[in-house]
mmCIF file of all heavy atoms in Angstrom:
data_model
loop_
_atom_site.group_PDB
_atom_site.id
_atom_site.type_symbol
_atom_site.label_atom_id
_atom_site.label_comp_id
_atom_site.label_asym_id
_atom_site.label_seq_id
_atom_site.Cartn_x
_atom_site.Cartn_y
_atom_site.Cartn_z
ATOM 1 N N GLY A 36 14.390 6.029 -4.411
ATOM 2 C CA GLY A 36 14.479 7.421 -3.978
ATOM 3 C C GLY A 36 13.171 8.144 -4.172
ATOM 4 O O GLY A 36 12.142 7.727 -3.671
ATOM 5 N N GLY A 66 -5.158 -12.217 -6.044
ATOM 6 C CA GLY A 66 -4.236 -11.493 -5.186
ATOM 7 C C GLY A 66 -4.642 -11.536 -3.720
ATOM 8 O O GLY A 66 -5.806 -11.779 -3.388
ATOM 9 N N ASP A 91 -12.669 2.866 5.106
ATOM 10 C CA ASP A 91 -13.282 4.179 4.890
ATOM 11 C C ASP A 91 -14.448 4.428 5.847
ATOM 12 O O ASP A 91 -14.720 5.580 6.191
ATOM 13 C CB ASP A 91 -13.758 4.324 3.447
ATOM 14 C CG ASP A 91 -12.603 4.500 2.472
ATOM 15 O OD1 ASP A 91 -11.458 4.758 2.900
ATOM 16 O OD2 ASP A 91 -12.851 4.361 1.251
ATOM 17 N N LEU A 93 -14.532 3.298 8.939
ATOM 18 C CA LEU A 93 -13.982 3.401 10.296
ATOM 19 C C LEU A 93 -13.010 4.555 10.497
ATOM 20 O O LEU A 93 -12.801 4.997 11.628
ATOM 21 C CB LEU A 93 -13.256 2.105 10.668
ATOM 22 C CG LEU A 93 -14.109 0.860 10.793
ATOM 23 C CD1 LEU A 93 -13.238 -0.366 11.004
ATOM 24 C CD2 LEU A 93 -15.099 1.019 11.942
ATOM 25 N N THR A 104 10.637 4.045 -1.698
ATOM 26 C CA THR A 104 10.353 2.721 -2.243
ATOM 27 C C THR A 104 11.673 2.045 -2.606
ATOM 28 O O THR A 104 12.670 2.711 -2.872
ATOM 29 C CB THR A 104 9.457 2.785 -3.496
ATOM 30 O OG1 THR A 104 10.103 3.587 -4.489
ATOM 31 C CG2 THR A 104 8.084 3.362 -3.177
ATOM 32 N N GLY A 119 -4.839 8.978 9.688
ATOM 33 C CA GLY A 119 -6.275 9.175 9.627
ATOM 34 C C GLY A 119 -6.812 9.491 11.006
ATOM 35 O O GLY A 119 -6.053 9.792 11.936
ATOM 36 N N MET A 132 4.687 2.968 8.408
ATOM 37 C CA MET A 132 4.190 1.712 7.852
ATOM 38 C C MET A 132 5.188 1.225 6.803
ATOM 39 O O MET A 132 5.774 2.025 6.080
ATOM 40 C CB MET A 132 2.822 1.928 7.197
ATOM 41 C CG MET A 132 2.280 0.694 6.508
ATOM 42 S SD MET A 132 0.590 0.910 5.898
ATOM 43 C CE MET A 132 0.884 1.901 4.455
#
Side-chain angles (χ1 to χ4, degrees):
D91 287 347
L93 294 173
T104 58
M132 176 174 76

